[in-house]
Amino acid sequence: MKKHSIYLLLMLLLCWGCNGDFLTVEETGVIPSSDAPIVTAFLSPQDTVHTVTLYHTRPAAGNNPYATWEQNVAKSTVTLSNGNQTVKLIPDSFLTGVFKISAKNFKVESDKTYYLSVNTFDGKKAEANCTIPSSVVDTTSISYQLVSGSTSNMNTSYLISWKDIPNQVNYYAVYTISELQDLTKKTAEISNERYQHTIDDVERDGQFLGTPQSFLLSKPNYVAKDRLYIWQIQVLNTDIHFYKFHKDYEIAKQADENPFSEPVMLYSNIKGGFGVMAGYTKAVTYFR
């Protein structure tokens, strides 16, 4: 009975809300949805492979042509250009919708603008451009502040800080990636990637900046003598597109699948589609 009363109250609230400023959808049987391509591309001079990803739009109602998309997306044409050189990206053999090109075949440089063009297998077109930031964070300025645990404890948390690049507006992101290196085979297993986005230098130009939350840089209690467990720390100096997209994305994630949360429009700079093309430079250090 109690559950039934709550259900009725909920329905009344919904009906009352629909008489206000909410958008009303006519009962036509199928809710129209966009089938424009969704594209993400993040370019950096420090990357060895440049990647563009095409995603499938999943309609809220009606048929979901995912099978057709999955079978044909590799037939799409994806190109990158620097204004002088234009290259075609190759579909990945294992990852659906991923297109790649080696940095050896297409060089991305700081302070230059790059252009993306997408022609999907079903005739849709999308394009975008971005300019790579001109500077890289000084790796010698990256430092760590212990906030929990101890240096003898393998389960410790650290705040990461670095010196802001002066005399310009900057946006940052920080990634931590654990590496288990095999010193004999000279290989590395990478896992446990963590990140924090949307850090800016507003009113702090040229000063030391830091991550708002600490990172758990834990290590196993025992590692074989021929293995080395370290953390790779990446401090990204990003462009405005990277910053705006991830700022909206973080807000959207806070909804945590709550059906009553307000929808968040994600930032997009893709003409003819959705998503983002953004650039960044990357400073890399290792925490042992």
Side-chain angles (χ1 to χ4, degrees), residues 5 24 27 49 67 86 95 102 152 174 211 221 232-233 240 269 276 281:
S5 299
T24 301
E27 295 182 359
V49 177
T86 299
L95 302 174
S102 170
S152 60
V174 177
T211 54
N221 292 322
Q232 181 185 136
I233 311 299
I240 187 64
N269 66 339
V276 64
T281 61

Side-chain angles (χ1 to χ4, degrees), residues 35-37 54 69 72-73 75-77 118-126:
D35 57 358
L54 303 187
W69 176 86
N72 295 282
V73 65
K75 300 175 185 177
S76 303
T77 301
V118 174
N119 289 274
T120 65
F121 68 91
D122 53 354
K124 297 177 179 62
K125 296 182 179 181

